[in-house]
Amino acid sequence: MPTRAGLPIGRGPAAPVAIRPAAARDVPGVAALWSAIHAHHAPLDPQFEVRPDAERALAALLDDELREADIAVFVAESASELVGFCAVRPRPAPALLVETGRAEITELYVRDADRRRGVGRALVDAALDWVRGRGIERVEVRVAARNAEGQAFWRELGFGDLMDVLQRRL
Ligand SMILES: CC(C)(COP(=O)(O)OP(=O)(O)OC[C@H]1O[C@@H](n2cnc3c(N)ncnc32)[C@H](O)[C@@H]1OP(=O)(O)O)[C@@H](O)C(=O)NCCC(=O)NCCS
């Protein structure tokens, strides 16, 4: 199946990849991938360090979230295994603004072995289609300044600078 950019999803010799909305049965697999996002970020800043029971806590949170109307989670599946996922949420704007709301892609992860095969792009395409379908015209993503691959990925997909988040440790 081609992505919007015309690239095949899951290109290369490994098994093909399908993108679909997450179902309740995906909760353990998505929780494992979600905790891998934090493992990826942990060396970048101490704030990303996870507790030992993180995966169980994430599974419970995700189980609740999938019951909410205002979140979409898409998974990438290859040979009956989850290889990536993306979560997106609408964010209503304060009443004083002309823009009524935006969406935020809050999680995106593709496991190491399936990177650079178009899977991340295909997951984001699915999320953006969902956002467009709700009439939302702007999407944000928070990406750590030191996450080099994340920075390169999002900029390649047309995302640009909006705001710097500064921090100071006390
Ligand atoms: C970022 C991430 C989701 C990208 O997933 P992916 O499936 O490898 O991405 P794609 O194959 O769709 O890449 C699309 C394009 O993005 C760019 N890109 C992706 N990874 C890149 C990297 N490591 N370095 C430079 N450019 C990169 C390339 O232009 C790529 O196109 P190409 O392979 O044809 O050159 C994946 O690396 C990942 O899960 N990283 C760890 C978690 C993370 O950082 N998540 C984002 C948090 S904000």
Side-chain angles (χ1 to χ4, degrees):
M1 194 197 325
T3 66
R4 185 171 298 100
L7 296 167
I9 304 171
R11 60 185 183 270
V17 176
I19 308 295
R20 61 170 174 79
R25 68 177 185 282
D26 298 317
V27 165
V30 173
L33 294 171
W34 196 349
S35 97
I37 296 183
H38 290 275
H40 170 85
H41 282 82
L44 306 181
D45 192 280
Q47 68 158 299
F48 297 115
E49 211 172 310
V50 292
R51 299 178 194 179
D53 64 344
E55 204 168 309
R56 197 162 46 82
L58 285 173
L61 178 64
L62 185 66
D63 199 41
D64 286 348
E65 288 196 329
L66 283 180
R67 296 172 211 275
E68 280 181 30
D70 264 1
I71 180 172
V73 179
F74 295 94
V75 293
E77 189 171 40
S78 178
S80 303
E81 277 185 47
L82 297 189
V83 303
F85 84 108
C86 179
V88 59
R89 300 155 207 259
R91 301 288 196 205
L96 76 164
L97 296 182
V98 172
E99 182 184 73
T100 53
R102 57 186 164 83
E104 183 177 352
I105 294 181
T106 52
E107 270 77 42
L108 174 68
Y109 186 80
V110 175
R111 72 178 186 186
D112 275 343
D114 289 279
R115 292 191 187 157
R116 303 307 288 267
R117 303 181 64 214
V119 178
R121 190 191 289 270
L123 283 164
V124 172
D125 277 350
L128 297 185
D129 280 347
W130 183 85
V131 169
R132 279 189 201 93
R134 299 175 66 101
I136 299 172
E137 295 178 344
R138 192 170 66 83
V139 185
E140 290 182 9
V141 61
R142 286 169 65 97
V143 49
R146 296 178 62 201
N147 180 4
E149 63 203 280
Q151 289 281 348
F153 172 82
W154 288 112
R155 287 168 198 280
E156 170 65 20
L157 267 67
F159 287 69
D161 293 322
L162 172 65
M163 193 177 288
D164 289 331
V165 178
L166 307 185
Q167 67 167 346
R168 175 181 160 190
R169 293 202 172 275
L170 304 178

